[in-house]
Amino acid sequence: MVLARIGIFATLLLSFASSAMAKDFPVGFFGPLSGPAAAYGSESLAGAQLALEEINAGYLGSDKIKLIPADDTASPGVAAQAVQRMIDIDDVVAVVGGSTSAGTAAAIEVTKEAKVPQLSPLAVDSALTLANNPWFARIAQSSTTWAERTAEWLKKDKGAKSAYLLVRNDNFGIPLADAFEKRAKEIGLELKGKIAYEPTSREFRPTLATVASAKPDYIVLWGYYTEAGLMAKQMAEMQIKFPFYVGSAIGIDQYREIAGPSAEGTYGLLYYLAGSIETDAGKKFVQKWNERYHRTPTQYEGMGYDAMYVLADAMKRAAAKGGISKQTIRDEIFNTKAFQGATGPITILSNGDAQRPLPMAELVDGKVKLDTLLK
Amino acid sequence: MNLSLQLLSGLAVGCIYSLVAVGFSMVYRAMGLVNFAQGDLMMVGAFVGYSIIISAPALPFWLVVPFAAALTASLGYVIAQSALWPAIQRGASQTYLVLLTLGIGIVLSNGARLIWGANPRVYPIPLTHETIRVGQYPVPAVYPLIGLTMVVLIVGLHLLFTRTWLGLALRAAADDAQTASIMGVNRRFASAASFALASGIGAAAGVLYAPITFVSADMGMLGIKAFAAAVLGSLGSIPGSVIGGLVIGIGETLGGQLVSSEYQDSLAFLLMIGILLVKPTGLMGKRG
């Protein structure tokens, strides 16, 4: 009887001790939750929040992550201020974000100064990892990789001999086009021409007429989904028929709405395509998302989900090695090797870039279908 | 690609520029100010048209145009009565008034983003993606409707200004406000009515332009080209605005095809600069 009481008392004492040791780790999240780029931020946040539910249900033992979201409105200045506030007031141990390259670039300066690890789910600009900033990593492929893989896919998978480049004349389109052009030359894919259009343009008929006269095997666009939609629509109106590559626009509903029936048959490269990852984690994520929201997850939701998991996995390994701190989280993020994420295996390279699969997709019967999973 | 096809596109887009430019000219004549919110009123009209289509899907598209125009005209009337007229009455300078219209434009643009969201909206009607054949050329099915509306509106405006008491009052107030007011014309009402009319015409342009592209809060940027069209045709001249819009529309499309598609937007403005260097008063302007 006495022994039993001692046993119960000891058990209670241990549980009190462990709950006293359990910690809530504040983690910041920033991205555009309003404004013209709201889809990127709000969808990746939705994915991160689902991951967080699972993580806080025991993935980190008794420890939990407390997420502190902030809206950067796709403005670099607002992004930097939001991250500074998270660090100064909330004392975050890590930051997940941003969703645009410009916002991410502004926040990097703040996290680097404060020595807080930052992990971006979506930013692709190659310049972000050129400086070898030890506090920044991302799970998205760099723009150089996107462009190079596209050129290789055209040449090797599709047997294309030539392409015509249409480029949004800004710091999104130009680096992608440059990387594509460089790789195309290396592998012998002929460029029939290149036109850089103004980001405010809505009338592409003269441009498309010029492209049509060059008779390329493929038209490759490095631009936004609105321009992609208008180009596809105007090509159909002008009865111009060439295979059309539109980048990640293919996964955005508004692209299909603007282009209408002419979106059919277009190609694009996505961050992630639900159903293209045949691992347990990939299947489980899609199933859970379907159960909750009665639809498949978008590419941004998948990336947000995995960004949170890559961070939690780094924290778990840091805890096992002696303790969670900003420094150990950073070290373990950079030690991420073949993490089995919902969007595929993710490896973080020494410069902070990610190695992961890229799904090349085609629009068939109004649905985004996997063409090839580019390794 | 056949130049005739580009010419048809240039004509259609030119008609849109013309309609917005007519609004610029009307407000300039009636109130003596350049209304830089004109492009944003066009955008509001396009969004209002979108809401009408969503709320009443069975309504024929040709009826959406007058409904959206009437609702946007009402908004224009309120803006003129509550913001512009008080500023004019207090003797605000031209610079102040221009800044005021720019501010109104920004408020309209952000307001539209709040009401309709940041994502572009596509008119969910068959006309958005339909094409018809004009001769041997495929063109968007909305093009003939744009041309027809343009003609109806211009003829309607002509009849309004020459055959109705309201039109004559508006012209009188625009030509000689002091004398018109002695003759019983309410200057404040005349200015607000002109502004409302210009807003309504802009809204019609927005509704007609939407099926060609999509509706978004930054759609008002088109107002810059329409302003160039109004200046080219002589600011204040309605026939001049119509001609100016067609010149800019055809100029940028053919210029993009024949010279360089990379600089098609710049070419339209180069054309405007060139014409104004030769004829500084604009195409319909008179010396002195």
Side-chain angles (χ1 to χ4, degrees):
Chain A
M1 187 70 182
V2 174
L3 277 175
R5 281 184 181 181
I6 289 168
I8 291 164
F9 180 73
T11 309
L12 281 169
L13 202 65
L14 275 170
S15 68
F16 276 127
S18 67
S19 66
M21 283 167 67
K23 278 188 75 176
D24 275 3
F25 290 98
V27 168
F29 180 99
F30 75 99
L33 306 177
S34 65
Y40 308 141
S42 54
E43 288 184 16
S44 52
L45 176 61
Q49 282 168 329
L50 181 68
L52 197 68
E53 272 179 40
E54 296 170 4
I55 290 159
N56 284 345
Y59 186 81
L60 291 173
S62 56
D63 290 337
K64 286 185 168 55
I65 290 174
K66 182 183 170 209
L67 199 67
I68 295 147
D71 179 10
D72 71 12
T73 68
S75 155
V78 177
Q81 282 172 5
V83 171
Q84 190 69 63
R85 205 169 42 244
M86 289 169 186
I87 292 166
D88 293 343
I89 295 167
D90 302 300
D91 193 25
V92 292
V93 294
V95 173
V96 175
S99 303
T100 62
S101 292
T104 307
I108 280 174
E109 298 306 316
V110 180
T111 50
K112 186 181 173 185
E113 179 73 24
K115 293 187 165 48
V116 173
Q118 181 184 341
L119 183 68
S120 170
L122 295 180
V124 296
D125 188 356
S126 295
L128 292 169
T129 48
L130 282 179
N132 282 313
N133 170 3
W135 294 94
F136 174 74
R138 57 173 155 205
I139 65 161
Q141 295 272 33
S142 71
S143 52
T144 304
T145 308
W146 280 65
E148 287 178 347
R149 290 301 90 80
T150 302
E152 290 159 9
W153 168 81
L154 282 175
K155 177 79 180 168
K156 291 167 188 165
D157 291 50
K158 292 290 162 186
K161 291 183 176 61
S162 65
Y164 204 110
L165 273 182
L166 294 172
V167 187
R168 184 182 164 96
N169 196 2
D170 66 1
N171 63 358
F172 169 77
I174 298 293
L176 281 158
D178 289 348
F180 180 91
E181 204 170 346
K182 186 168 171 278
R183 189 68 185 133
K185 274 184 187 146
E186 286 167 1
I187 60 174
L189 178 70
E190 186 198 352
L191 271 191
K192 292 260 184 168
K194 180 169 92 170
I195 292 176
Y197 60 86
E198 285 309 302
T200 51
S201 287
R202 289 195 180 193
E203 180 54 51
F204 296 105
R205 284 176 181 81
T207 300
L208 295 169
T210 307
V211 173
S213 63
K215 295 189 171 60
D217 287 348
Y218 277 78
I219 299 173
V220 174
L221 168 70
W222 296 115
Y224 285 5
Y225 66 92
T226 44
E227 297 127 34
L230 286 176
M231 283 180 191
K233 183 176 190 275
Q234 289 172 18
M235 265 196 261
E237 285 164 1
M238 295 165 77
Q239 299 189 330
I240 294 172
K241 288 189 178 79
F242 291 101
F244 190 29
Y245 167 90
V246 295
S248 65
I250 196 173
I252 299 172
D253 290 344
Q254 283 81 16
Y255 162 68
R256 299 193 289 273
E257 279 177 27
I258 294 166
S262 53
E264 190 68 10
T266 50
Y267 294 99
L269 198 55
L270 298 164
Y271 289 95
Y272 156 71
L273 175 63
S276 66
I277 306 299
E278 289 297 318
T279 59
D280 284 349
K283 287 176 185 169
K284 209 182 289 179
F285 168 62
V286 174
Q287 188 189 334
K288 190 161 185 177
W289 199 275
N290 265 312
E291 282 167 7
R292 178 160 306 188
Y293 300 107
H294 311 294
R295 61 173 177 82
T296 52
T298 67
Q299 53 185 332
Y300 309 126
E301 285 158 350
M303 295 299 278
Y305 181 87
D306 264 1
M308 191 50 71
Y309 255 112
V310 166
L311 174 69
D313 181 61
M315 289 169 76
K316 195 177 185 176
R317 282 183 278 117
K321 285 182 182 176
I324 296 173
S325 69
K326 292 165 190 170
Q327 181 66 51
T328 56
I329 293 170
R330 187 225 77 90
D331 294 346
E332 292 308 323
I333 286 174
F334 277 77
N335 282 336
T336 301
K337 297 277 180 291
F339 172 78
Q340 291 306 307
T343 64
I346 299 166
T347 295
I348 304 293
L349 305 173
S350 59
N351 68 342
D353 270 336
Q355 212 171 49
R356 52 174 300 121
L358 275 172
M360 182 64 76
E362 184 185 1
L363 268 176
V364 182
D365 299 329
K367 298 262 189 306
V368 184
K369 292 265 165 65
L370 183 70
D371 178 87
T372 319
L373 195 61
L374 304 176
K375 298 285 186 275
Chain B
M1 189 57 59
N2 201 300
L3 281 180
S4 308
L5 192 59
Q6 302 293 2
L7 187 66
L8 286 170
S9 292
L11 269 170
V13 176
C15 285
I16 301 294
Y17 295 158
S18 294
L19 288 173
V20 183
V22 164
F24 271 108
S25 282
M26 280 182 64
V27 172
Y28 184 76
R29 273 200 68 182
M31 300 169 90
L33 69 93
V34 177
N35 172 29
F36 279 111
Q38 183 65 21
D40 294 293
L41 283 159
M42 180 198 91
M43 173 271 300
V44 168
F47 269 122
V48 169
Y50 173 80
S51 293
I52 291 169
I53 290 167
I54 294 294
S55 315
L59 193 73
F61 181 72
W62 63 268
L63 273 176
V64 174
V65 179
F67 277 125
L71 286 166
T72 312
S74 309
L75 174 68
Y77 186 82
V78 171
I79 289 169
Q81 287 280 26
S82 59
L84 294 171
W85 182 256
I88 291 167
Q89 246 189 339
R90 290 187 191 114
S93 67
Q94 274 299 317
T95 310
Y96 178 88
L97 289 171
V98 163
L99 286 173
L100 186 62
T101 62
L102 279 169
I104 290 166
I106 291 166
V107 169
L108 290 173
S109 170
N110 287 328
R113 200 170 269 129
L114 277 172
I115 296 166
W116 288 283
N119 282 326
R121 304 283 178 166
V122 179
Y123 276 20
I125 50 173
L127 194 71
T128 301
H129 298 293
E130 267 175 9
T131 54
I132 54 162
R133 294 195 86 79
V134 174
Q136 55 179 322
Y137 308 112
V139 295
V142 76
Y143 279 11
L145 194 62
I146 290 172
L148 185 69
T149 309
M150 166 90 164
V151 172
V152 167
L153 275 172
I154 298 305
V155 170
L157 278 176
H158 176 74
L159 293 175
L160 174 82
F161 286 126
T162 55
R163 304 285 169 89
T164 68
W165 180 89
L166 174 68
L168 290 169
L170 294 182
R171 277 174 65 198
D175 290 340
D176 187 347
Q178 292 254 290
T179 311
S181 107
I182 291 164
M183 302 297 287
V185 176
N186 183 330
R187 263 184 78 191
R188 182 173 182 158
F189 170 77
S191 296
S194 294
F195 195 92
L197 205 53
S199 304
I201 294 166
V207 173
L208 291 165
Y209 187 55
I212 299 177
T213 57
F214 51 83
V215 191
S216 62
D218 62 355
M219 194 177 178
M221 293 294 288
L222 188 136
I224 296 168
K225 283 185 187 172
F227 175 63
V231 170
L232 178 60
S234 299
L235 197 58
S237 159
I238 289 174
S241 296
V242 172
I243 293 164
L246 294 175
V247 168
I248 296 270
I250 294 166
E252 72 176 13
T253 320
L254 289 186
Q257 173 76 60
L258 298 169
V259 184
S260 162
S261 52
E262 282 185 285
Y263 302 109
Q264 69 182 66
D265 286 355
S266 312
L267 287 167
F269 287 99
L270 275 173
L271 188 69
M272 181 194 81
I273 292 164
I275 291 172
L276 289 179
L277 282 173
V278 176
K279 203 168 185 301
T281 52
L283 291 171
M284 302 295 281
K286 295 180 182 72
R287 291 203 180 277

